[in-house]
Amino acid sequence: MNLQKRDAYYSQISKWLSKGLAIVLTGQRRVGKSCMLKQLKEEKEHDASNNVIYIDLEDSHFQSITDYQQLNEYIDGLICDDKHNYILIDEIQEVEAFERSVRYYIKRENTDVLITGSNAHMLSSDLSTMLAGRYVEIHIQSLSYSEFLQFNGLDDNDQSLMRYMTLGGLPQLCHLGIGNNEIVEDYLKNIYNTILLKDIISREKIRNIPFLTNLCQFISDNIGKLISATSISNYMKSQRADVSSNVVISYLSYFCNAYVIDKVSRYDIHGKRLFEINDKYYFGDIGIRNILSRGTRQNDIEKIIENVVYLHLKSMHYNVYVGQLRSSEIDFVAQKPDKTVYIQCSYLIASPETYNREFGNLKMIKDNHPKIVVSLNPMLDEANEDGIRHIHLRRFLMLGEL
């Protein structure tokens, strides 16, 4: 099977090579972390002055490696002192005390260490303790819309956009055939169940599995709504399930750590500060969200638009927040060190009420930062209304910068 290349991520990785830092690729299972390692492996093996050591810890060939000492023993048997060594380890969280190995090998001359992992808490806590200032994290997302078109050989049109918004962006879909809905749906369900079992239930020793599954479905049905642990706890009590707020917080963190969902905090635009309660949640892959939701795509369109806009902002390396302006809300405040952009999302701007809500909220912000409304209005490419850009979703998802 030929590897589909994701050049933007490869460029990110390449700039950190030979810097004496461990490179950590994070992200949900099956978003393409392993393929990025394999792409690097193929590129570096063409040069005879390189020595590439590739370890896939989910492969049965490596199942005997369970702790850092066994990992070191395997690597030491292959490392070459007279070549540049690339140590590539996939799903490293399967190895106990793996951070000891990483720390040891990044100190070697002419050695690069790249690892992947599917658990945010374990990677961040263990690495930050042992490797403070000695590693860089690159987060791999599911395919962007433009990558989805590239991987599946599609033109940029409304039909392709609907496919992306329905199926999501897991790279393997291009090999399954996105026209076969039954196979795609089964694949997405299997990926979700694998994440649930391996990265949450087994790792966190979950006992209340029915609540765990109901919680993720609840989040999928409530994209774009402010959610608190207390509100979920009260809802569960109304369903005759007594679950405390602390348990809700813990279970939400497990889904976030497995990169299934992202927590997005509220940002006070007037006071320039973050609120500590009532967050929103968005899915790392819209296809997985869709198989969990009980609604129809037609009824869910506003939620889906908001989720894919969020994912695109993250792919452009913005820090993303929900904007709060007194009693009004701005869907997203996207920030970089030198830039802030305000974004509203809507299905159609077809009535004065909708226009006033989406454009009116942005007009209340008195600073000069860019303001954008994203919609699916037909016959729209891009327009400018009183200094606010109105962009069709398809065009927005093709932008490389705002």
Side-chain angles (χ1 to χ4, degrees), residues 96-287:
E96 183 180 351
F98 68 86
E99 64 278 5
R100 294 177 179 269
S101 294
V102 175
R103 184 176 65 174
Y104 173 70
Y105 288 107
I106 62 171
K107 292 180 179 179
R108 286 183 57 98
E109 292 290 330
N110 300 320
T111 300
D112 278 297
V113 179
L114 291 89
I115 62 176
T116 79
S118 301
N119 187 283
H121 173 71
M122 187 197 65
L123 285 170
S124 62
S125 60
D126 292 346
L127 289 174
S128 61
T129 299
M130 296 287 290
L131 296 173
R134 297 295 303 275
Y135 76 97
V136 60
E137 178 183 342
I138 298 174
H139 185 67
I140 309 294
Q141 294 181 215
S142 59
L143 300 180
S144 66
Y145 175 58
S146 60
E147 289 177 320
F148 178 80
L149 298 178
Q150 173 196 335
F151 271 51
N152 292 285
L154 300 174
D155 294 325
D156 174 25
N157 54 41
D158 289 343
Q159 184 180 13
S160 297
L161 177 63
M162 289 303 108
R163 282 183 171 181
Y164 176 68
M165 294 170 70
T166 300
L167 305 178
L170 294 187
Q172 184 67 22
L173 296 183
C174 71
H175 301 295
L176 299 177
I178 60 174
N180 192 323
N181 290 338
E182 184 177 351
I183 289 178
V184 169
E185 185 173 332
D186 285 346
Y187 173 74
L188 292 173
K189 287 179 180 177
N190 287 336
I191 295 302
Y192 173 70
N193 289 332
T194 299
I195 295 170
L196 205 65
L197 179 61
K198 286 191 173 184
D199 297 326
I200 302 178
I201 294 173
S202 177
R203 189 173 301 282
E204 307 295 346
K205 298 178 173 55
I206 300 296
R207 294 183 178 179
N208 194 345
I209 296 174
F211 170 64
L212 183 76
T213 56
N214 287 339
L215 176 62
C216 200
Q217 186 162 334
F218 176 87
I219 296 297
S220 74
D221 290 336
N222 287 277
I223 287 174
K225 294 182 180 179
L226 294 174
I227 292 173
S228 69
T230 301
S231 67
I232 295 175
S233 178
N234 291 338
Y235 170 78
M236 295 307 298
K237 288 175 182 176
S238 73
Q239 303 298 307
R240 299 181 180 179
D242 191 4
V243 179
S244 71
S245 297
N246 287 338
V247 170
V248 172
I249 291 170
S250 294
Y251 279 33
L252 284 172
S253 72
Y254 301 153
F255 281 109
C256 291
N257 289 339
Y259 304 104
V260 176
I261 59 175
D262 289 350
K263 183 175 77 170
V264 181
S265 301
R266 288 188 301 150
Y267 177 78
D268 181 358
I269 295 172
H270 180 72
K272 309 297 183 186
R273 62 186 179 88
L274 291 177
F275 291 102
E276 296 182 357
I277 59 172
N278 293 343
D279 307 300
K280 290 189 179 184
Y281 290 87
Y282 296 95
F283 275 74
D285 181 76
I286 197 64

Side-chain angles (χ1 to χ4, degrees), residues 317-353:
H317 310 296
Y318 281 94
N319 294 317
V320 184
Y321 309 98
V322 176
Q324 192 74 38
L325 186 65
R326 299 181 178 87
S327 61
S328 300
E329 184 177 283
I330 305 299
D331 288 331
F332 297 118
V333 179
Q335 294 184 330
K336 290 183 178 181
D338 59 345
K339 191 169 189 176
T340 296
V341 184
Y342 304 110
I343 296 126
Q344 290 282 73
C345 307
S346 182
Y347 175 31
L348 297 173
I349 309 294
S351 69
E353 292 78 14

